[in-house]
């Protein structure tokens, strides 16, 4: 299916998770600044689990895509964390 122009991207950049001030900061980036890598990495794993758990009963493939987004973000954060800290996650 073709995506509608100007339609919100509810998986990669949901508008309700962007900063109210149009500063370009998304919620996940604010979480990283406030809580650090380890906490946000745990959040990503748990959120992915939640979306996979509910996908058949709620939003189907949209929830699957959200779970994949969080797993990819988890992987990205693991890579960054290992480079910055020298620790394995």
């Amino acid at each position: 299916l073709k995506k509608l122009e100007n339609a919100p991207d509810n998986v990669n950049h949901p508008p309700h998770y962007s900063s109210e001030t149009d500063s370009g900061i998304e919620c996940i980036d604010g979480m990283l600044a406030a809580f650090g890598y380890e906490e946000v990495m745990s959040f990503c794993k748990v959120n992915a689990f939640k979306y996979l758990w509910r996908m058949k009963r709620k939003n189907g493939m949209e929830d699957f895509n959200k779970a994949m987004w969080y797993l990819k973000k988890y992987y990205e954060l693991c890579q960054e964390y290992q480079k910055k800290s020298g620790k394995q996650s």
Side-chain angles (χ1 to χ4, degrees), residues 21-37:
T21 62
D22 292 326
S23 65
I25 298 172
E26 290 198 20
C27 182
I28 193 103
D29 297 322
M31 290 169 56
L32 191 57
F35 300 107
Y37 279 90

